[in-house]
């Protein structure tokens, strides 16, 4: 299905009837017509998908959103694809995006309803960051439960930088993002992300970073193309309330630009005997 056809026939984006000031940032941008809603953009998502053993695998995507990454996953010819989305409207959009190539269910990432050891790869993007640290742990435990031994867990999230960022600065950044995005944004430093994975039974194999430039013009062009960027610009100019909110988000991103980055992590489900001893220090494979 072409993007134009999808635009004509897709269900309404979640929270379409809510005031611009109250909508979580990702759904406000989707309302404008933005399709790539990930911190590191289309490029980091494509790199992440390319790291995964997808051919012939049973794949689960948590919070597939508009279904863009689902299509990339399906192009790699997995044995099966299942999306788990907690918003019924978003689930309908993702389901329409992938058609009969996979299934999308409405469910909670902390309790998917999927069977134990039923998949080989789990992926989610821009979702763990928007959960409390306790809920992050519950999601990782659920992923460990549904993955087969040796299964792969991949995420594309937001990271705080540098690794030794001062606690007060980190909290200021978090509060600024919460106010502008209307989401409980809780990014972690790279060592904190690694430690979280290790604590819940995963061995981190690869880490990559990218600048967080979601609303930069060049990133918009790279992610959305000329036609998509023009559509977003037109919607932005037509609605003063949306324009004010987007300007607030952009100002927050720019103010905190030196302290936030996109991060992609690929990890393996570890055996119980090795999980506790997994170090949370960078490996030679990590790149930035």
């Amino acid at each position: 299905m072409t993007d134009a056809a999808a635009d004509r026939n897709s269900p309404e984006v979640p929270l379409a009837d809510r005031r611009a000031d109250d909508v979580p940032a990702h759904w406000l941008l989707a309302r404008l017509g933005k399709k790539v809603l990930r911190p590191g953009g289309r490029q980091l998502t494509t790199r992440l998908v390319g790291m995964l053993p997808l051919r012939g695998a049973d794949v689960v995507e948590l919070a597939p959103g508009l279904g863009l990454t689902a299509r990339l996953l399906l192009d790699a010819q997995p044995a099966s694809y299942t999306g788990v989305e907690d918003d019924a409207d978003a689930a309908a959009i993702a389901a329409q995006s992938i058609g009969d190539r996979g299934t999308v269910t409405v469910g909670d990432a902390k309790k998917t309803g999927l069977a134990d050891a039923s998949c080989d790869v789990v992926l989610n993007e821009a979702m763990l960051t928007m959960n409390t640290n306790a809920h992050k742990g519950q999601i990782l435990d659920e992923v460990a439960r549904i993955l087969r031994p040796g299964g792969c867990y991949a995420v594309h999230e937001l990271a705080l930088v540098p690794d030794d960022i001062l606690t007060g600065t980190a909290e200021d950044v978090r509060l600024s993002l919460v106010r502008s995005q209307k989401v409980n944004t809780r990014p972690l430093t790279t060592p904190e992300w690694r430690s979280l994975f290790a604590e819940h039974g995963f061995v981190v194999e690869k880490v990559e970073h990218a600048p967080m430039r979601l609303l930069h013009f060049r990133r918009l062009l790279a992610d959305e193309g000329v036609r998509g960027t023009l559509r977003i610009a037109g919607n932005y100019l037509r609605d003063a309330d949306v324009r004010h909110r987007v300007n607030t988000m952009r100002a927050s991103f720019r103010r905190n630009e030196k302290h936030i980055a996109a991060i992609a992590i690929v990890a393996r489900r570890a055996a119980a005997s090795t999980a506790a001893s997994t170090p949370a220090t960078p490996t030679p494979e990590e790149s930035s």
Side-chain angles (χ1 to χ4, degrees):
M1 179 184 293
T2 66
D3 285 346
D7 287 345
R8 285 194 300 270
N9 301 312
S10 289
E12 205 167 40
V13 298
L15 309 179
D17 58 347
R18 188 176 292 185
R19 292 189 321 127
D21 281 347
D22 300 328
V23 180
H26 53 294
W27 293 134
L28 182 77
L29 295 176
R31 186 189 298 182
L32 281 174
K34 191 163 184 4
K35 298 182 181 300
V36 181
L37 304 171
R38 313 312 190 192
R42 188 186 296 264
Q43 184 178 51
L44 187 58
T45 290
T46 302
R47 282 158 52 194
L48 179 62
V49 170
M51 297 177 200
L52 304 177
L54 295 169
R55 184 180 293 271
D58 293 313
V59 177
V60 171
E61 184 180 8
L62 304 177
L66 303 181
L68 177 68
T69 302
R71 297 200 297 272
L72 293 176
L73 294 169
L74 286 161
D75 287 345
Q77 300 181 358
S80 68
Y81 169 89
T82 302
V84 180
E85 172 62 64
D86 68 356
D87 186 285
D89 291 333
I93 294 171
Q96 185 179 68
S97 177
I98 66 173
D100 60 2
R101 302 170 70 193
T103 61
V104 180
T105 64
V106 178
D108 189 332
K110 299 185 290 298
K111 192 174 182 180
T112 62
L114 302 177
D116 292 357
S118 58
C119 61
D120 304 296
V121 176
V122 177
L123 178 142
N124 59 254
E125 300 181 278
M127 187 265 285
L128 283 178
T129 301
M130 296 190 292
N131 279 270
T132 66
N133 291 342
H135 286 167
K136 287 180 176 69
Q138 291 173 21
I139 292 167
L140 265 72
D141 287 342
E142 176 68 354
V143 171
R145 183 187 69 79
I146 65 175
L147 273 174
R148 296 181 180 122
C152 218
Y153 183 30
V155 304
H156 175 175
E157 299 290 340
L158 197 61
L160 291 169
V161 292
D163 291 347
D164 60 353
I165 186 172
L166 296 175
T167 301
T169 302
E171 184 62 13
D172 288 344
V173 171
R174 189 189 75 80
L175 289 174
S176 176
L177 294 175
V178 168
R179 293 188 188 107
S180 68
Q181 295 190 69
K182 309 296 183 182
V183 175
N184 188 16
T185 310
R186 290 182 177 272
L188 304 175
T189 65
T190 298
E192 288 171 338
W193 279 119
R194 295 179 64 92
S195 294
L196 179 70
F197 274 68
E199 288 165 9
H200 293 272
F202 291 91
V203 176
V204 173
E205 294 188 335
K206 297 178 182 178
V207 177
E208 294 199 12
H209 297 91
M212 212 303 270
R213 294 173 178 164
L214 188 67
L215 296 179
H216 282 219
F217 182 68
R218 287 185 180 179
R219 174 69 64 78
L220 280 173
L221 280 175
D223 285 349
E224 311 294 339
V226 174
R227 182 179 297 178
T229 300
L230 289 174
R231 179 176 61 247
I232 292 166
N235 291 333
Y236 165 86
L237 291 171
R238 277 192 291 271
D239 191 319
D241 291 337
V242 168
R243 189 163 61 250
H244 176 265
R245 175 74 192 286
V246 171
N247 289 345
T248 299
M249 290 163 50
R250 183 188 289 117
S252 176
F253 289 152
R254 287 183 174 173
R255 184 166 58 252
N256 296 294
E257 195 167 53
K258 67 180 181 179
H259 291 304
I260 53 177
I263 185 170
I265 300 172
V266 178
R268 293 272 181 184
R269 177 184 167 190
S273 59
T274 62
S277 61
T278 302
T281 54
T283 69
E285 295 162 286
E286 179 172 334
S287 62
S288 56

